[in-house]
Amino acid sequence: MDRRRFLVAGPLTLALSLKSSPAVAAQGTATGLRGQVVTVRDKVFSSLGVAPDEKTASAMIERAICHLSGKGSLREAWAAFLGKARVVGLKPNCLAGHGVCSSPQFVHALAAQLVDNLPGLQKIVIWERSDRDLTHAGFEIVRSGKVQCLGNDSAGYSPELIVQGTVGSLFSRTVTETCDTLINLPVLKDHGIVGVSVGLKNLYGAVHNPNKYHPNRGDPFVADLNCAPPLRGKTVLTICEAFTAQYEGGPAYRPQWSWPAGLILAAADPVALDRVGWRMVEERRKAARMMSLAQAGREPSYIITAGDSSHNLGESDLSSIRESVLD
């Protein structure tokens, strides 16, 4: 399915029951997938700040999802993760704009796979903090049809204050009311306050007051937020787009501190994926003779907190994380 086809797909014929299709697995608890991270690498990719085309992105997503699920076909793989899903939310990261943000090619390739392989799927919503963030990254705002794309400022926030540990927020209606399942689509980049921004931090975009949660390098705010029921209960996968990744100067795009990584990372365990991403950023900093994030005073300790016994969102111990790298 090409991009235009799904952007103009017709309106739904079935009424959407927002609470009738519970997510297929809670975040960090998918059986047998704790601590497992799959990396697909395009060894010849060298275009800094530019994503590949949809065909290339789709092929890399297919390899990652099939390997992670252990299934032999794409349909079986998506059914294993999203077989019961009716309305799927895709959360890209558009804050930085072109260069180190989610690309329409990557997100559209994923959406097309879901449409083509999940017969029970009623709708996909690509969502971010605002319409402006999405358009800034090259996405087209689409408010009707099978594949929609809009910001929280259009969808609104649920009026109920949800309190989880140190966090008290209004959550996007797209998260609480529209979608029964979420796929988190972060990028891999340095963050000048919390150290790194990968999957866990990307879900700051779900609430109305993320600016409140940056003190102490986001610890324990990031972990607490990801434990909130609308996120923990619905997020089944994290797929990180790291064609271009950044090791210093984030969250804004700084090409002088970026590299054409040519990677995507996929996991049902968001903590394990973030921990691997953190290690990659540290390796690049070391190669550039930069201080470690701890030495720079911004170690992303929230990732460790997310894996502790109180939060139990996944595996944060690198020695216990199982990585598969597919070239």
Side-chain angles (χ1 to χ4, degrees):
M1 170 174 272
D2 63 33
R3 176 173 177 266
R4 177 168 174 77
R5 279 180 57 200
F6 73 71
L7 284 176
V8 300
L12 296 177
T13 57
L14 299 174
L16 302 179
S17 177
L18 303 178
K19 298 180 180 179
S20 62
S21 301
V24 294
Q27 180 157 258
T29 61
T31 303
L33 294 179
R34 182 182 175 91
Q36 185 170 348
V37 179
V38 175
T39 299
V40 178
R41 180 169 55 189
D42 182 345
K43 295 177 69 174
V44 300
F45 184 82
S46 60
S47 302
L48 188 67
V50 178
D53 58 28
E54 286 187 34
K55 182 178 180 181
T56 300
S58 182
M60 293 176 74
I61 295 169
E62 178 173 352
R63 292 188 72 197
I65 294 304
C66 287
H67 190 89
L68 186 64
S69 67
K71 302 297 183 182
S73 73
L74 191 57
R75 179 162 294 226
E76 290 175 316
W78 281 122
F81 289 115
L82 303 177
K84 297 179 180 178
R86 296 295 176 264
V87 183
V88 176
L90 305 180
K91 171 59 175 74
N93 186 307
C94 301
L95 182 62
H98 290 289
V100 71
C101 70
S102 298
S103 69
Q105 302 96 298
F106 180 81
V107 178
H108 292 161
L110 173 58
Q113 285 192 11
L114 301 185
V115 169
D116 289 344
N117 291 284
L118 294 171
L121 184 66
Q122 297 173 3
K123 184 165 70 174
I124 294 171
V125 182
I126 302 165
W127 61 278
E128 245 290 12
R129 298 184 316 165
S130 69
D131 289 351
R132 180 180 179 181
D133 285 350
L134 287 161
T135 56
H136 187 48
F139 290 88
E140 176 184 348
I141 301 302
V142 182
R143 304 185 192 282
S144 63
K146 189 157 187 174
V147 180
Q148 301 179 10
C149 180
L150 73 167
N152 296 340
D153 53 346
S154 289
Y157 292 90
S158 295
E160 178 188 3
L161 181 69
I162 296 176
V163 178
Q164 180 73 40
T166 58
V167 169
S169 295
L170 306 180
F171 282 68
S172 167
R173 289 185 185 275
T174 301
V175 172
T176 58
E177 301 176 16
T178 303
C179 298
D180 56 56
T181 304
L182 302 173
I183 301 177
N184 191 5
L185 303 177
V187 295
L188 174 58
K189 62 182 178 181
D190 173 87
H191 191 286
I193 300 175
V194 305
V196 295
S197 176
V198 200
L200 297 167
K201 173 66 169 56
N202 190 39
L203 293 181
Y204 270 26
V207 298
H208 80 296
N209 57 348
N211 58 307
K212 303 290 186 183
Y213 305 140
H214 288 84
N216 196 43
R217 307 178 314 283
D219 192 5
F221 305 106
V222 178
D224 286 349
L225 180 74
N226 278 266
C227 282
L231 297 179
R232 183 166 199 157
K234 295 184 178 183
T235 309
V236 299
L237 282 172
T238 302
I239 306 175
C240 177
E241 178 183 353
F243 297 116
T244 292
Q246 186 168 321
Y247 56 91
E248 173 69 10
Y253 178 45
R254 298 286 185 265
Q256 68 271 35
W257 294 311
S258 300
W259 81 101
L263 305 173
I264 67 168
L265 300 93
D269 181 336
V271 181
L273 187 145
D274 273 32
R275 187 66 188 89
V276 170
W278 173 10
R279 188 203 67 209
M280 291 178 174
V281 169
E282 294 281 19
E283 289 171 350
R284 296 299 299 199
R285 293 179 64 86
K286 184 176 182 180
R289 300 182 183 276
M290 286 186 169
M291 293 187 291
S292 69
L293 291 171
Q295 291 169 330
R298 48 192 180 92
E299 182 181 45
S301 56
Y302 68 82
I303 297 174
I304 304 301
T305 300
D308 69 18
S309 59
S310 296
H311 297 84
N312 196 29
L313 285 163
E315 181 59 61
S316 63
D317 183 352
L318 276 175
S319 67
S320 297
I321 293 173
R322 307 183 307 282
E323 294 183 62
S324 301
V325 179
L326 311 179
D327 289 320

